[in-house]
Amino acid sequence: MRQPLRLLALTGVAAALLTLAAGLLVWSGWYNVSAVAQHWSPVFKLMEYAMRQSVRHHARAIVAPPQDAAMSVRGAALYRQHCLSCHGAPGLPPATAGLSMQPVPGPLADAEHKWEDRELYWIVSNGVKMTGMPAWQNHLSEAQRWDIVAYLRAMPDLTPASQTVSGNDADPTQLAGDIERGRIALTQYACQSCHRIPGVVGPDTQVGPALAHLASQHYVSGALPNTAGNLARWIMHPKRYKPGGAMPELGVSAQDAADMAAYLRDADRGNPP
Ligand code: HEC
Ligand code: HEC
């Protein structure tokens, strides 16, 4: 066979084998669709990249109208009604369902760095396939969608909403934490939507500090001496220790907090301070 023909034949065989392997993977049921199982990091990165590129491409011709303060005030009310339950707001947690989705709906406090206005408008109008992000073009008027974009722009300047501290008074300090349960719990309270955490796949977020050095740090959030018990206390009730802070109370149980504290202190081992 001539050289180009042989190359063509080999490519054909390789493509057929790959298709067969993908088919077998799907047919066998081996791929886990559980929202508790995290994506493999390269897969997660690839999907995030594909979404970003797609939004950039599809939103390129949209022209944003000028914004004023009245728009963001109206947008705040619309946001509270339609978006808060999944995305939360500065100092306010999402509803339970928003915490345990995969991918997790991020806090939109950093959306203004990541997206242009026209791109935010496109996302709100069209939603994002296979993520759970709904499309709003048939439910909100064009003006309302621009109001929400104006609010997203203003959000980082808004002080965290004051919030009643939750009444769960269980004491996490006497509980033994389980590292592996802690790793899963971190994803089920959407901690990785605000914090980069070693060993937990998540977006490249800067909303909260990276949780990489918690065994060697002296204080938790500069507020509490860093012991395993205090770390668990903070995870349950950040508002008690920093009433004006941006970390929301997420309704974490004492056992989950102890497990997460165990994981965070252990995850430190692989990371030089
Ligand atoms: C049912 C839950 C849900 C509701 C309600 C919801 N979203 Fe989302 N949203 C998601 C999910 C899930 C994603 C995808 C997150 C990802 O891929 O990282 C998302 C993604 C986004 C993104 C892109 C986030 C990023 O930077 O990666 C924006 C912006 C956004 N939503 C805005 C809104 C606005 C504004 C509203 C209200 C009009 C809203 N969402 C309502 C679930 C929701
Ligand atoms: C909406 C964003 C958000 C979510 C969700 C969130 N945090 Fe935070 N977190 C923050 C911010 C912002 C700070 C910095 C708070 C401060 O110092 O006032 C913080 C601080 C912390 C600190 C102290 C870090 C340090 O360097 O001292 C820990 C520990 C922590 N968070 C753990 C968690 C855990 C565990 C979860 C999940 C149960 C979680 N956070 C969920 C935003 C968030």
Side-chain angles (χ1 to χ4, degrees), residues 60-168:
R60 68 197 183 286
I62 298 172
V63 181
Q67 289 170 6
D68 58 43
M71 284 172 81
S72 57
V73 171
R74 286 193 304 266
L78 291 165
Y79 183 91
R80 186 167 270 270
Q81 192 181 345
H82 300 295
C83 322
L84 183 70
S85 59
C86 283
H87 289 282
L92 285 177
T96 313
L99 292 175
S100 290
M101 292 177 74
Q102 164 91 278
V104 57
L108 298 175
D110 58 350
E112 60 141 11
H113 298 302
K114 286 163 70 186
W115 305 105
E116 302 289 338
D117 286 352
R118 61 171 185 280
E119 293 163 350
L120 289 171
Y121 178 81
W122 188 92
I123 294 173
V124 174
S125 303
N126 292 278
V128 183
K129 206 180 273 173
M130 303 272 287
T131 67
M133 168 64 190
W136 297 92
Q137 56 190 354
N138 295 81
H139 310 294
L140 295 171
S141 72
E142 194 179 322
Q144 285 177 316
R145 281 174 271 145
W146 282 116
D147 287 348
I148 291 179
V149 171
Y151 169 71
L152 291 177
R153 228 0 107 207
M155 199 150 131
D157 299 326
L158 304 174
T159 48
S162 62
Q163 199 207 342
T164 43
V165 172
S166 89
N168 175 5

Side-chain angles (χ1 to χ4, degrees), residues 209 211 213-227 230-231 234 242 265:
L211 303 182
H213 307 301
L214 276 163
S216 45
Q217 217 165 283
H218 291 292
Y219 284 93
V220 179
S221 192
L224 278 170
N226 185 3
T227 60
N230 275 346
L231 182 54
W234 164 270
K242 272 213 173 167
R265 290 169 70 85

Side-chain angles (χ1 to χ4, degrees), residues 87-94 99 106-107 109 185-195 197 205-214 217 219-223 226 231 234-236 238 242 244-248 250 252 257 260-261 264:
H87 289 282
L92 285 177
L99 292 175
L186 286 161
T187 68
Q188 294 306 301
Y189 289 99
C191 312
Q192 82 281 21
S193 67
C194 291
H195 297 285
I197 307 173
T205 173
Q206 310 272 1
V207 174
L211 303 182
H213 307 301
L214 276 163
Q217 217 165 283
Y219 284 93
V220 179
S221 192
N226 185 3
L231 182 54
W234 164 270
I235 293 170
M236 288 176 76
K242 272 213 173 167
M247 164 124 168
L250 294 160
V252 179
M260 286 188 253
L264 290 173

